[in-house]
Amino acid sequence: MSQVIGSTYRHFRFRFNTTLRAVATIGVIVVPASASEEISKADGQIRPDVAFQSALRDVSETENNEQRNERLNRIQDLSVGRHDHMIGQLLWYYATSDEKVKASSVVGRVLDHHDVPKQTSVFALIPHLDDRDASVREMTRSLLQGYEERSASRPPDFSAYRSFIEAKIRTGGEPSDSLVRHMYESDPGTALLAIMRGYQLRDPDEMKLILWAEHVVADLFWKRRHGFLGPKAVEPAVIRQLRLLAQHERWWVRMYVAEILRRHPELARPQVLESLQDDAHPLVRETILKATEKHSKRSRDP
Amino acid sequence: MRFRLRDSAVRFILSIGVLLLFHVAEDASAQHGPPVDDRGISCEPCDANCDSLIDELDIAAFVDALLGDQPGCSPCRGDFDNDGEVNGQDMQPLLDCLLVPPETGACCEPSTACFLANEAECQGGWFGPGSSCDPDPCITGDMTAYRPQHGAGYFPFARTAVSDFDEESSTQGPGIRINAPSDDDPMGEDDLIEVTLAIDQPGAEVALRRSHGHLKVWTTRTKDVGTEIPFLNDKTSSVPFGPGETMTTVWVEWAVPMHGTADLVLEPSTVAASLDVLRFHSFVGIVMALGGEGQVPSVPVDLNHGTFVVAVGLYDQGFDVHLHDEDDVAPDGSGPVFDEVVNAIRHRLVDEVGIFGYSHGGGSTYDLADRLDADRAGIGRFEIRFTSYADAVENDSDVDISQELRRPPSSGYHANHYQNGSFADFFLDGGPVPNSEPSPTGLNVEVTPWGAGATHFEVDDFVQVRDFIETNLVSNVTP
């Protein structure tokens, strides 16, 4: 049943996206190139709040700690109950600033001053992964990366992403492609497990299949990393697990395979590459295309 | 006393005897090859008094050698049969030699015009018996080596020649990466060293001699098939120059997975005489320099990017230095900088690492060292010999403003310079780091006369800070 619903949803979404894309394409053709930049700023998802932007500029021009704290407190007052708004304004401030070092330090200082739970900030940031302004998207990714607390000593923390996806699923939604892409680009293994939990799977057999496959692949990388295998070593069990997951009905599982093969072309096998090249999900197709290019290059190089 | 008298008498009789023989004998013409002394240097036994002339004055010195009571001016004087001693067997060859002195030929020595000399007299290239100085066979030649490439060219460094002063130094001369077959070159083959050869006259034939089989020479930087210049007994045939050309470029490869130094000598093709020498050292260490937020490597180097200024100085001193944007190090330490260091350790036998960075580049210095240390078992044997922060800020994201106060894991020597943030630098600053130099926790530059009132944007630019980093990296990391 869930498969049928999923399939219908995908079909609807595909048609909707196609319509949207057509409209957007016409818009781009009609609007001259010079004007499109202005539209990007003016019609983007973030609307500049004059008072907020002025307060942020004031922070950047403080002359001592006392004054700085006073101005940071003012921003805090403006943000009460509107954390999403504050995040948007910070991103806007950064994107439109000519002095990026100064702007990033102001953004960092404001976030530091606000004692806001990580999850709240991450939830507010995620929608901006789809912002029309490239510098906003870039800043969003950088901020999210900071909340992942990546380290050489432990896996990244994707708990906020998991929570976000769970909330979406519970209300009948889906995580955006941009979030899934961001998670997989950051850490494919941690992403797969976080998304699996976020999607609220209940069938132990299905969960075990994903868990085991990720474990087998992660084990190969662990062995490589710590010198138990060569840097490009391949284990047949990994190839089997990737082949299995490449046939999985859930696109975000197949996306895991595509991302792994993009990063590690030595694990790619023609049959898997071919099957994912015609995948129903555009993100999987896009990723496997990059994997195929790398695989071809690797085959050509001695 | 009586012994001395008797000794003098023997010497007198022997001298008379040899002189008589010298004047009587006329037809002897015994052949002997050029002997060598115990250092392998060619020397002339006939020139027994080492005055570069073969004449009657050598007789007395020969007699001294015969009696063996004085150390000679050369270990082979008088020892014509090269049996390690001067005895009666050497007397006839002496006479032969005095009667038929060695033939002269054209001799080319550095900084002199061509002149005629016998082989023993010629300290440079000797063109053989009967050779002439007309036409002048002497060639002037020069080699210039360049510092290592990065990818398809030299960026982010300028193409930098090794100075004549440094070119024979075992540490500051041309450094070269070991180019083992398994070496990974993600940006393409870039491990060969460019060497230009210059001669003073078109058509002059010069060759290359190597002191060790570690060196290979190619006419292409990417080792195209058929472009290797082969060595036979460690000397090439004539190096190809274009018609009428007096300059050409070759590319030198260190092709054996073993460290050391090796000389490349430019010689005339027909004689063994050095025109110029380059001493290559295989890189033992690797140095990674990480800029601050917004600092991007450029040529020429931006003088306000102190980290890169230090890096350029080290590059010119014979180190394998790599400049990077700090975001080439992910917060978990992975990325192209990590890959480059791991590749150097695994495939180029590098075992000493130096890392330094400014601002977020300091935070990335920590992240990189942490990752290298965590992954040691899989990487191989190496030491992080040197790390340095200049007003380091953690780099978990572009807006991370936390002071980087953690010492890079396993660093053998850590330098730390910082200032206190203020409105002028948006309150960005580093801070004291345990076990840092200058001790006890690094230096707050604001307490010094030269750094009073410094901002975050200046710490990496103070000459005192740059010198401290450079001096201590040179002391701790082998080029």
Side-chain angles (χ1 to χ4, degrees), chain A residues 62 68 105 109 139 142 225, chain B residues 375 378 397-399 423 426-427:
Chain A
T62 51
R68 183 185 62 175
S105 114
R109 192 67 63 189
M139 186 63 168
S142 178
R225 183 177 175 186
Chain B
D375 287 9
S397 76
D398 287 350
V399 300
F423 69 93
F426 328 124
F427 299 92

Side-chain angles (χ1 to χ4, degrees), chain A residues 60 62-65 68 101-102 104-105 107-109 112 139 142-143 145-146 150-153 224-227 231, chain B residues 293-294 330-334 346 367 370-371 374-375 377-379 396-399 401 423-428 457:
Chain A
S60 75
T62 51
E63 296 185 359
N64 54 53
N65 280 332
R68 183 185 62 175
V101 175
K102 185 176 181 178
S104 58
S105 114
V107 172
R109 192 67 63 189
D112 215 34
M139 186 63 168
S142 178
L143 282 166
Q145 201 175 59
R150 294 169 68 188
S151 157
S153 313
R224 285 180 178 183
R225 183 177 175 186
H226 295 294
Chain B
E293 200 66 51
D332 64 3
S334 64
R346 280 187 182 150
D367 295 334
D370 189 30
R371 179 82 181 199
D375 287 9
I379 297 173
D396 287 344
S397 76
D398 287 350
V399 300
I401 51 169
F423 69 93
D425 50 24
F426 328 124
F427 299 92
L428 287 171
F457 305 111

Side-chain angles (χ1 to χ4, degrees), chain B residues 345 350-353 372-373 376 379-384:
Chain B
I345 294 167
V350 162
D351 60 8
E352 297 183 17
V353 180
L372 288 168
D373 190 46
R376 276 179 186 284
I379 297 173
R381 287 189 184 278
F382 68 95
E383 290 295 330
I384 301 174

Side-chain angles (χ1 to χ4, degrees), chain B residues 151-167:
Chain B
Y154 289 96
F155 189 84
F157 295 93
R159 181 171 175 256
T160 305
V162 178
S163 71
D164 285 345
F165 181 76
D166 287 335
E167 68 183 11

Side-chain angles (χ1 to χ4, degrees), chain A residues 166 170 196-207 250:
Chain A
E166 182 181 331
R170 284 186 180 282
M196 182 189 80
R197 291 181 59 197
Y199 264 83
Q200 298 290 290
L201 267 57
R202 291 292 180 264
D203 177 359
D205 289 340
E206 186 183 12
M207 293 168 71
R250 297 182 188 275

Side-chain angles (χ1 to χ4, degrees), chain B residues 66-83:
Chain B
L66 195 63
L67 294 171
D69 60 351
Q70 284 181 33
C73 59
S74 91
C76 65
R77 66 166 185 165
D79 181 15
F80 286 88
D81 55 7
N82 204 21
D83 64 355

